[in-house]
Amino acid sequence: MLTHVDQHGKASMVDVSDKPASSRQASAGASIRMSAEAFELLKNNEHKKGDVLQVARIAGIQAAKKCADLIPLCHPLMLSKVAIDFSLNEQAHRVDITALAKLTGQTGVEMEALTAASVAALTIFDMCKAVDPFMQINDIQVIEKQGGKSGHLINKENT
């Protein structure tokens, strides 16, 4: 059964009003690979546009909060926590991004976590593109989700 289509085939937001509220959280990831020069500037906080990772962190948090404005059938959610973490892979000249979204509510937060990770990667791209206009954003995926009727799920592809 399709949940985002009504009986006439029209797009429809899912009615979650009868679902019980529960604690829910999801983490998602993304990565961005860049040239050695761009990576060194990022690592040493020397990009001309400023502190790339701090700006990307704020952008990711804002993106999670605006997810329902960007994805047409997402519910607006009262997020209780959004966190963005970065891991620098010096050998691959890659930044790995992890986004966590959390709430107590009637629907999951996977889309908010995915949006946060994606926008954090896009922000890194924007701030570093003068040095490397051909960076690659990859591996956008849900890592883990907890809560609701599906319980605790871990992406086996990511472990």
Side-chain angles (χ1 to χ4, degrees):
M1 179 168 129
L2 300 174
T3 59
H4 285 80
V5 179
D6 70 12
Q7 65 270 22
H8 305 291
K10 295 179 183 171
S12 174
M13 181 185 260
V14 174
D15 182 358
V16 297
S17 57
D18 291 335
K19 291 173 73 175
S22 66
S23 178
R24 299 163 184 263
Q25 73 177 41
S27 60
S31 66
I32 181 166
R33 196 174 71 208
M34 60 190 67
S35 68
E37 179 185 7
F39 186 85
E40 284 301 311
L41 289 170
L42 180 141
K43 182 179 83 170
N44 297 318
N45 195 18
E46 295 175 345
H47 273 279
K48 290 183 181 178
K49 288 190 174 184
D51 189 334
V52 174
L53 297 181
Q54 291 309 317
V55 174
R57 178 174 281 118
I58 292 167
I61 292 167
Q62 285 181 316
K65 293 171 19 178
K66 291 291 191 179
C67 185
D69 293 336
L70 300 169
I71 311 295
L73 300 177
C74 281
H75 293 85
L77 302 178
M78 288 292 291
L79 297 169
S80 58
K81 180 170 183 66
V82 178
I84 312 290
D85 291 310
F86 303 102
S87 176
L88 303 181
N89 183 321
E90 294 195 43
Q91 288 186 320
H93 306 127
R94 187 180 75 224
V95 179
D96 295 318
I97 303 159
T98 304
L100 170 76
K102 190 174 181 180
L103 59 63
T104 298
Q106 296 166 295
T107 188
V109 290
E110 300 90 336
M111 292 308 300
E112 288 70 17
L114 285 163
T115 302
S118 301
V119 170
L122 289 168
T123 301
I124 292 170
F125 190 103
D126 180 55
M127 294 188 72
C128 299
K129 69 185 178 208
V131 177
D132 181 1
F134 299 107
M135 291 172 279
Q136 294 180 346
I137 296 173
N138 299 298
D139 305 319
I140 299 170
Q141 61 187 311
V142 172
I143 298 167
E144 183 176 10
K145 63 173 264 165
Q146 296 179 43
K149 70 178 182 179
S150 58
H152 187 186
L153 301 175
I154 297 173
N155 183 344
K156 303 287 189 228
E157 298 285 322
N158 197 19
T159 56

